[in-house]
């Protein structure tokens, strides 16, 4: 199933740029007009000329965490290009046509990602019958062009994987000389929609586990992250294509490959054209976040309560910009996944794999550093703190967030209204593999504007967890709203309902 259907084909639209505009030059020394000619950029860029977010290129990533050269680098691992097309299956082999579902060339997405302050992106086009050959022979050469034309942005290779028995997933390939062949190997062997004629044996839970067992034994291990995991849910906790036991089975098979799901799915601009945020038509998102993430004590907390290293991300799922009738923002225009990493393919991927991540919408924050300390022991997001101080089991939590210095892409100056600290106990593996609750998870502290202490360009909040005697985890969220819990979304503007979420820090006692 495709993310959504579009009958629009904007491939013949052309946009004029001002060659005298200094912003029309890329780091490669080419004008945007040249980029259009060389990269085949004939699709919509008109909307970009009116977006204030094009100034974001001057907002560099902010300091965060340990590691030489590591800073918070914003990115997006779920972006579609014109290679999300259609297949004519009346022919054998099927005939592929570009631009049926998503319309922008790969280089267009890279240009727009750069203009909205992204340091890294990933092309994730839909699969289909014999699509592995389309990726290898047509799309990958365009990715190589885009890397040359927009060198400031790391551009990963991969796809929106047709996961057996599940909804779509990111399949991110490590940067290698043979990366195109690595993806071809995985897609042609395991993507459920790649065979022609169709092969029902490719669409089973056991095939998904077989894929992950194969992937984890590769020298260059990919990353797999579930997309819009509860979009097919028909109610609160009434799951659709993706179920809790599948997440557990998949991560058990390959814990360093299968690492999480989108906390904030794409298609967030839906309400601007009368649609639902995320395309969640049966049961809505909450504050723009999937119910699996947004509900305190829900599925994410259930997974963390087992001690799982389970991370969340935020993406655009860009197909067609909302100003052209789509439901999407440009990459980085609204949602950002920040990774604490060097500007290096391997380190960004390592950050995603190990949870050095926070996510935000509407540029509510541009940096989020959280630490937990007991005595001399300190841990940051994705890491574990071991309580070893014999004098005290207290854990001191420090939350530092950096507000946006300027306007976001909607011309707003967003402000954090409240920060919440959420804590849950780690009680070990569940007996019910479809368990989706953790009753120990709760908001233990809420801090408002009057509680924030300004330190340079950051705000700081400190909280002490007294006498921590059980292994647990903590995570942080913040909002521009006054909602105690993120409400189910309606048709409100996404710009009026902004949230950020950290990934967890784990605490081991004893």
């Amino acid at each position: 199933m495709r993310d959504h259907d579009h009958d629009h084909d904007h491939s013949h639209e052309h946009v004029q740029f001002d060659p005298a505009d200094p912003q029309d030059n890329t780091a490669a020394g080419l004008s945007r007009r040249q980029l259009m000619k060389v990269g085949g950029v004939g699709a919509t860029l008109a909307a970009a000329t009116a977006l204030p977010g094009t100034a974001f290129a001057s907002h560099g990533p902010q300091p965060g965490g340990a590691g030489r050269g590591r800073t918070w680098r914003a990115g997006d691992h779920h972006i579609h290009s014109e290679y999300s097309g259609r297949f004519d299956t009346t022919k054998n082999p099927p005939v592929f046509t570009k631009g049926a579902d998503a319309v922008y060339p790969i280089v267009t997405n890279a240009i727009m990602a750069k203009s909205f302050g992204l340091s890294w992106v990933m092309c994730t086009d839909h699969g289909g019958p014999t699509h592995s050959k389309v990726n290898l022979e047509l799309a990958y050469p365009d990715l190589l062009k885009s890397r040359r034309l927009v060198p400031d942005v790391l551009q990963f290779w991969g796809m929106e994987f047709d996961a057996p028995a599940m909804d779509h997933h990111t399949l991110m390939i490590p940067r290698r000389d043979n990366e195109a062949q690595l993806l071809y190997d995985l897609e042609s062997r395991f993507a459920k929609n790649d065979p022609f004629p169709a092969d029902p044996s490719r669409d089973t839970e056991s095939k998904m586990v077989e894929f992950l067992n194969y992937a984890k034994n590769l020298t260059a291990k990919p990353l797999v992250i579930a997309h819009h995991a509860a979009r097919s849910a028909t109610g609160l906790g009434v799951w659709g294509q993706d179920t809790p036991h599948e997440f557990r089975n998949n991560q058990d098979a390959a814990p360093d490959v299968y690492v999480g799901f989108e906390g904030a799915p794409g298609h967030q601009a839906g309400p601007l054209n009368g649609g639902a945020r995320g395309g969640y038509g049966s049961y809505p998102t909450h504050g723009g976040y999937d119910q699996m993430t947004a509900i305190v004590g829900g599925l994410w907390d259930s997974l963390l309560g087992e001690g799982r290293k389970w991370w969340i991300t935020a993406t655009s799922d860009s197909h067609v910009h909302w100003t052209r009738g789509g439901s999407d923002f440009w990459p980085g225009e609204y949602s950002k996944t920040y990774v604490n990493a060097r500007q290096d393919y391997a380190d960004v991927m390592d950050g995603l794999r190990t949870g050095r991540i926070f996510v935000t919408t509407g540029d509510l924050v541009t940096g989020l550093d959280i630490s937990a300390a007991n005595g001399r022991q300190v841990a940051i997001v994705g890491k574990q703190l071991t309580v070893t101080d014999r004098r005290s089991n207290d854990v001191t939590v420090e939350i530092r967030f950096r507000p946006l210095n300027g306007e976001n892409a909607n011309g707003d100056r967003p402000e954090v209204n409240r920060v919440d600290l959420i804590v849950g106990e780690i009680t070990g593996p569940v007996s019910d593999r479809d368990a989706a609750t953790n009753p120990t998870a709760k908001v233990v502290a809420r801090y408002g504007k009057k509680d924030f202490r300004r330190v340079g360009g950051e705000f700081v909040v400190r909280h002490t967890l007294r006498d921590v005697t059980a292994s647990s985890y903590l995570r942080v969220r913040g909002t521009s709203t006054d909602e105690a819990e993120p409400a189910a979304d309606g048709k409100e503007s996404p710009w009026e309902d902004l949230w950020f979420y950290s990934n967890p820090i784990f605490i081991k006692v004893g």
Side-chain angles (χ1 to χ4, degrees):
M1 185 179 72
R2 297 186 307 183
D3 275 343
H4 51 216
D5 296 319
H6 290 289
D7 294 325
H8 316 303
D9 183 356
H10 305 300
S11 58
H12 298 296
E13 296 180 3
H14 295 278
V15 178
Q16 297 299 314
F17 290 98
D18 181 3
D21 184 353
Q23 297 301 314
D24 263 8
N25 294 317
T26 70
L30 293 170
S31 70
R32 287 192 179 183
R33 190 183 303 277
Q34 288 171 307
L35 284 172
M36 291 172 68
K37 181 178 179 181
V38 177
V41 185
T44 305
L45 281 176
T49 63
L51 294 174
T54 53
F56 277 24
S58 64
H59 298 335
Q62 304 296 338
R68 182 175 296 176
R70 284 180 178 166
T71 60
W72 286 117
R73 300 184 189 277
D76 187 339
H77 65 82
H78 186 179
I79 302 169
H80 291 263
S81 80
E82 61 189 341
Y83 288 103
S84 287
R86 69 163 65 92
F87 288 87
D88 181 356
T89 55
T90 66
K91 308 282 198 317
N92 190 0
V95 176
F96 176 75
T97 302
K98 293 194 293 186
D101 195 37
V103 298
Y104 306 116
I106 292 171
V107 71
T108 304
N109 288 329
I111 291 168
M112 299 312 297
K114 179 182 176 181
S115 74
F116 287 111
L118 298 191
S119 298
W120 59 271
V121 296
M122 181 182 163
C123 185
T124 52
D125 284 313
H126 293 299
T130 70
H131 181 262
S132 54
K133 286 191 66 177
V134 172
N135 257 345
L136 182 66
E137 298 172 1
L138 301 178
Y140 184 67
D142 276 11
L143 176 77
L144 296 180
K145 286 182 187 176
S146 185
R147 283 175 174 167
R148 293 194 300 270
L149 295 167
V150 193
D152 292 348
V153 179
L154 301 179
Q155 299 177 54
F156 285 92
W157 182 232
M159 70 172 298
E160 184 165 47
F161 185 61
D162 298 315
M166 299 186 76
D167 206 337
H168 300 140
H169 284 60
T170 277
L171 173 53
M172 177 182 276
I173 304 299
R175 177 73 176 89
R176 295 288 191 278
D177 289 341
N178 65 337
E179 62 192 345
Q181 192 61 44
L182 284 170
L183 179 60
Y184 177 80
D185 178 44
L186 291 169
E187 184 177 7
S188 61
R189 283 175 182 254
F190 298 107
K192 67 184 175 187
N193 292 336
D194 201 65
F196 185 78
D199 179 359
S201 71
R202 294 278 285 264
D203 194 16
T204 64
E205 291 184 22
S206 62
K207 180 60 73 171
M208 183 66 175
V209 171
E210 181 186 341
F211 155 67
L212 291 166
N213 280 323
Y214 181 85
K216 75 178 179 184
N217 290 316
L218 295 174
T219 302
K221 289 183 177 62
L223 275 177
V224 180
I225 300 170
H227 291 172
H228 38 69
R231 192 174 66 183
S232 56
T234 56
L236 185 62
V238 184
W239 311 122
Q241 289 179 272
D242 293 353
T243 59
H245 76 263
E246 288 175 300
F247 292 138
R248 291 184 165 99
N249 292 345
N250 294 346
Q251 192 175 59
D252 287 351
D256 56 349
V257 172
Y258 199 86
V259 297
F261 46 46
E262 289 176 333
H267 306 319
Q268 291 279 341
L272 301 181
N273 279 329
R277 286 175 85 169
Y280 280 47
S282 296
Y283 183 83
T285 51
H286 286 240
Y289 286 72
D290 189 296
Q291 61 164 296
M292 291 181 174
T293 293
I295 306 300
V296 173
L299 178 57
W300 189 24
D301 286 312
S302 180
L303 296 169
L304 295 177
E306 293 185 279
R308 292 181 182 276
K309 307 301 189 288
W310 192 272
W311 322 128
I312 65 164
T313 61
T315 69
S316 66
D317 197 355
S318 178
H319 285 64
V320 178
H321 197 263
W322 70 270
T323 57
R324 296 302 173 108
S327 59
D328 305 323
F329 291 111
W330 289 109
E333 183 182 358
Y334 182 75
S335 300
K336 287 181 170 72
T337 295
Y338 279 89
V339 178
N340 188 237
R342 295 179 288 276
Q343 187 66 356
D344 169 82
Y345 283 96
D347 205 47
V348 169
M349 201 161 178
D350 180 72
L352 289 168
R353 199 184 302 275
T354 59
R356 300 193 305 270
I357 305 165
F358 78 86
V359 300
T360 189
T361 53
D363 291 290
L364 183 56
V365 292
T366 61
L368 178 63
D369 291 293
I370 303 166
S371 63
N374 172 251
R376 295 183 178 181
Q377 304 298 315
V378 181
I380 60 173
V381 291
K383 301 297 185 181
Q384 177 176 279
L385 171 72
T386 302
V387 175
T388 59
D389 191 333
R390 295 182 179 181
R391 297 167 299 175
S392 173
N393 274 20
D394 289 356
V395 173
T396 302
V397 180
E398 182 178 87
I399 303 163
R400 289 178 172 264
F401 64 90
R402 182 179 293 269
L404 177 66
N405 182 21
E407 296 180 348
N408 65 16
N410 197 48
D412 303 326
R413 293 179 177 269
E415 293 185 0
V416 177
N417 188 54
R418 194 187 71 250
V419 171
D420 297 335
L421 176 62
I422 300 165
V423 176
E425 291 185 10
I426 296 175
T427 54
V430 293
S431 56
D432 176 8
R433 300 285 284 183
D434 274 315
T437 61
N438 181 350
T440 71
K442 57 184 179 293
V443 178
V444 299
R446 299 184 190 272
Y447 291 96
K449 289 181 180 179
K450 68 180 186 303
D451 304 309
F452 304 158
R453 183 166 62 91
R454 186 99 192 199
V455 179
E458 297 179 315
F459 289 104
V460 181
V461 172
R462 289 191 177 92
H463 181 88
T464 300
L465 300 172
R466 299 292 183 187
D467 194 25
V468 178
T469 58
S471 292
S472 54
Y473 63 89
L474 62 90
R475 57 187 183 86
V476 171
R477 72 180 179 195
T479 183
S480 65
T481 75
D482 58 4
E483 298 173 1
E485 294 297 322
D489 294 324
K491 303 296 186 184
E492 72 277 3
S493 168
W495 296 106
E496 298 171 0
D497 188 17
L498 306 181
W499 296 77
F500 67 79
Y501 283 70
S502 79
N503 273 283
I505 296 174
F506 300 93
I507 302 172
K508 181 181 180 181
V509 177

